[in-house]
Amino acid sequence: MRLFLSLVPPIAIRALLLDRMQGLVVARWQSDAQLHVTLRFVGETDRHGAEALLLALGAERFTRIEARLDGFGWFDRKGRVDQLWAGLAPREPLAALHARLDRLCVRAGFEPEARKYVPHVTIARFARSTAPDPAGVTAWMASQPPLPGDPFGFDALRLMQSHVGRDGSVYETIAAFPLRG
């Protein structure tokens, strides 16, 4: 099983992002079902690892988090553009939840997260063979009208499984934990 912990933005936010997904011909735009905020990538595990994580998550209580969209950015891998994303602010509550989940995952037997956490929703991915020039992605970002800054909340923390296929990943919710308060 390939697992991760995430938040799914409300439908109105996903619709707004879907409306922006055009104009980069080499982009593999994400579908509505793929739009999420990864809080902690867990990685490959067996049934026992998944059960240990479910038990650890079930013993916790999580509070409601609000965020707002905060511009676009991109990640690179080995000098090529890999992902285009919409950022989220304020970063601190999401980063604190990420750190809490990382500690919980470590207690459940998983390796600590090695990457720096950047709260975002991935909106496009790029194949290695057709990765755009960073200048093209920067020009696309500059051509976009500002994202609305209205705050929105998330309803649940989700443990999700990623099924990787030739046409991209399909995500399945394994368990949802309500965000309260």
Side-chain angles (χ1 to χ4, degrees):
M1 302 174 139
R2 187 171 192 238
L3 303 178
F4 63 96
L5 294 162
S6 72
L7 301 170
V8 175
I11 193 166
I13 299 302
R14 297 191 320 266
L16 188 146
L17 292 173
L18 288 166
D19 284 345
R20 300 291 181 96
M21 293 186 207
Q22 56 187 321
L24 281 170
V25 295
V26 296
R28 195 171 67 235
W29 298 107
Q30 300 294 93
S31 69
D32 180 60
Q34 293 172 314
L35 296 176
H36 67 274
V37 180
T38 299
L39 288 166
R40 171 55 157 84
F41 180 71
V42 178
E44 294 289 337
T45 189
D46 60 14
R47 182 176 58 87
H48 299 294
E51 288 172 356
L53 184 55
L54 279 168
L55 283 172
L57 290 164
E60 297 286 318
R61 295 291 173 253
F62 300 99
T63 57
R64 184 170 165 81
I65 288 184
E66 286 198 344
R68 68 180 186 284
L69 295 172
D70 187 35
F72 294 103
W74 51 276
F75 293 128
D76 67 63
R77 182 176 295 177
K78 298 181 182 177
R80 67 170 183 81
V81 177
D82 185 56
Q83 296 177 31
L84 176 63
W85 47 262
L88 297 171
R91 289 172 173 74
E92 294 77 19
L94 291 162
L97 181 56
H98 163 76
R100 179 179 173 195
L101 293 171
D102 188 49
R103 290 188 300 273
L104 188 144
C105 286
V106 169
R107 285 195 311 267
F110 295 94
E111 291 294 317
E113 178 76 64
R115 297 178 286 191
K116 178 183 173 195
Y117 183 67
V118 177
H120 68 280
V121 178
T122 298
I123 61 171
R125 297 182 187 278
F126 302 96
R128 287 181 189 98
S129 59
T130 60
D133 184 291
V137 175
T138 302
W140 180 88
M141 292 187 314
S143 74
Q144 296 298 304
L147 290 166
D150 301 328
F152 57 89
F154 299 95
D155 65 347
L157 169 67
R158 298 170 191 265
L159 175 61
M160 302 191 76
Q161 183 174 0
S162 175
H163 303 278
V164 180
R166 288 184 348 148
D167 296 328
S169 296
V170 175
Y171 305 129
E172 173 189 2
T173 299
I174 303 296
F177 303 90
L179 300 177
R180 299 169 193 208

